[in-house]
Amino acid sequence: TDGRGYSTNEMLAWIHEAMGRGPGPRVPFPLLRAAAALGDAAGKCGIRVPLNRDRLDKLAGSALYSNARVCRELGFAPQWDLRQGILEMVAGMVRA
């Protein structure tokens, strides 16, 4: 972390930017919830699907991580902000 909180939408926008693409189509959240419920039902039948409620919660939820302790105890100072890091990471993956 660089000490600032970011939204998932911000991070996705930077990934799209790094890939030279615009954002994909927006899917209404109730539709995603319905698909996740179907994924849960399929999972109970032994069918593996890419989306269920647990995965949707992780994708749509928010998490905030603090680097305060690392900075304080180890003297860490981030060299990049998250946007720059994402842009460089994606560029490296595209080159590989």
Side-chain angles (χ1 to χ4, degrees):
T1 178
D2 60 14
R4 186 178 155 232
Y6 299 94
S7 72
T8 303
N9 284 335
E10 282 179 293
M11 292 184 282
L12 287 173
W14 297 331
I15 292 169
H16 286 120
E17 176 187 345
M19 295 176 73
R21 299 181 183 172
R26 290 212 175 258
V27 178
F29 197 72
L31 184 59
L32 289 173
R33 243 184 290 154
L38 288 173
D40 285 344
K44 290 179 182 176
C45 297
I47 302 169
R48 291 183 55 132
V49 294
L51 186 64
N52 57 30
R53 287 184 194 159
D54 184 48
R55 289 186 182 141
L56 181 59
D57 288 344
K58 288 178 183 174
L59 289 170
S62 62
L64 183 61
Y65 303 93
S66 171
N67 65 348
R69 184 173 176 193
V70 172
C71 290
R72 183 179 63 250
E73 293 185 14
L74 300 179
F76 173 76
Q79 296 177 0
W80 297 283
D81 63 9
L82 183 60
R83 179 179 179 275
Q84 182 182 0
I86 286 176
L87 294 176
E88 290 187 24
M89 179 184 67
V90 172
M93 293 172 73
V94 170
R95 283 192 302 266

